[in-house]
């Protein structure tokens, strides 16, 4: 299916929903991340970014390219790292239990993106769009399981600890520098 058709299908889904962001992330992965032709990838990146930015305008979140032209970056001002988001999400008296429950409700489609805190909105867009754009589709199920564990934590300290572990232990959280440092070098 051509990008125009798939992009129209994605944009027809509920605006800012987990399904829509995941679909757009998969399109980014297929048409930008995996595309060998720079001109084709640039056109696709522009079209997908414009489409998703229109959907996220009310959240004041923008998608741009990163250091690598194929890398999607989520911005509300300055891009946030997982460690900073987890610290914000777990800062409440409940250690982030409520934030995890809210994100789960958003994933299930019973809460709108606008019904999440600013940090939870950024986390949702990063995890469901940018990480799928980077090829981490298989990590949505492990993420959901981590969120369920946080939501069911028996204490605020336990929930906060699980947010911290997600921010450092979930596969997609590695930065470019960390990830490229693990590449196999046949010369060494």
């Amino acid at each position: 299916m051509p990008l125009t058709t798939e992009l129209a299908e994605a944009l027809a889904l509920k605006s800012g929903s987990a399904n829509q962001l995941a679909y757009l992330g998969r399109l980014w992965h297929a048409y930008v991340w995996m595309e060998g032709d720079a001109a084709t990838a640039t056109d696709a990146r522009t079209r997908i970014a414009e489409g998703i930015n229109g959907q996220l305008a009310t959240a004041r979140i923008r998608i741009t390219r990163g250091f690598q032209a194929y890398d999607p970056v989520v911005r509300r001002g300055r891009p946030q790292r997982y460690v900073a988001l987890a610290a914000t999400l777990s800062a409440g008296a409940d250690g982030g239990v409520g934030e995890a429950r809210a994100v789960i409700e958003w994933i299930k489609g019973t809460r709108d993106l606008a019904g999440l805190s600013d940090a939870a909105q950024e986390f949702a867009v990063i995890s469901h769009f940018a990480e799928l754009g980077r090829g981490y589709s298989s990590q949505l199920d492990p993420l959901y399981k981590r969120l369920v564990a946080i939501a069911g934590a028996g204490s605020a300290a336990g929930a906060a600890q699980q947010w911290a572990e997600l921010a450092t232990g979930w596969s997609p959280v590695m930065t470019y520098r960390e990830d490229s440092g693990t590449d196999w070098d046949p010369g060494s």
Side-chain angles (χ1 to χ4, degrees):
M1 212 178 322
L3 175 59
T4 302
T5 304
E6 290 192 278
L7 190 54
E9 284 181 10
L11 296 176
L13 295 172
K14 183 178 177 184
S15 182
S17 67
N19 287 335
Q20 183 187 56
L21 294 179
Y23 194 157
L24 289 163
R26 287 182 182 101
L27 291 180
W28 185 286
H29 184 70
Y31 290 98
V32 180
W33 190 276
M34 300 298 295
E35 179 58 54
D37 179 37
T40 303
T42 299
D43 176 62
R45 182 181 62 237
T46 300
R47 292 170 60 198
I48 295 168
E50 286 174 356
I52 194 170
N53 285 336
Q55 302 296 302
L56 298 175
T58 58
R60 301 177 333 273
I61 294 176
R62 291 198 43 79
I63 304 302
T64 63
R65 63 166 270 181
F67 172 70
Q68 304 291 338
Y70 51 79
D71 198 16
V73 174
V74 176
R75 297 177 184 277
R76 175 183 276 133
R78 190 175 185 98
Q80 295 291 315
R81 298 184 89 164
Y82 279 105
V83 172
L85 285 173
T88 301
L89 292 165
S90 65
D94 66 355
V97 167
E99 294 282 17
R101 287 181 181 156
V103 174
I104 290 168
E105 290 171 5
W106 172 77
I107 291 168
K108 290 181 174 181
T110 58
R111 183 184 289 244
D112 290 336
L113 187 66
L116 300 175
S117 68
D118 286 356
Q121 287 177 6
E122 288 182 65
F123 178 80
V125 176
I126 292 167
S127 64
H128 282 71
F129 169 73
E131 299 305 4
L132 271 65
R134 293 176 56 217
Y136 286 105
S137 293
S138 66
Q139 290 301 306
L140 284 183
D141 188 51
L143 172 64
Y144 186 79
K145 288 176 181 171
R146 285 178 180 261
L147 291 170
V148 168
I150 295 168
S155 68
Q161 178 62 36
Q162 289 183 58
W163 273 113
E165 289 170 4
L166 185 155
T168 58
W170 182 49
S171 294
V173 303
M174 289 179 25
T175 64
Y176 176 77
R177 176 177 285 153
E178 293 165 341
D179 189 31
S180 63
T182 64
D183 289 347
W184 179 65
D185 180 4
S188 60

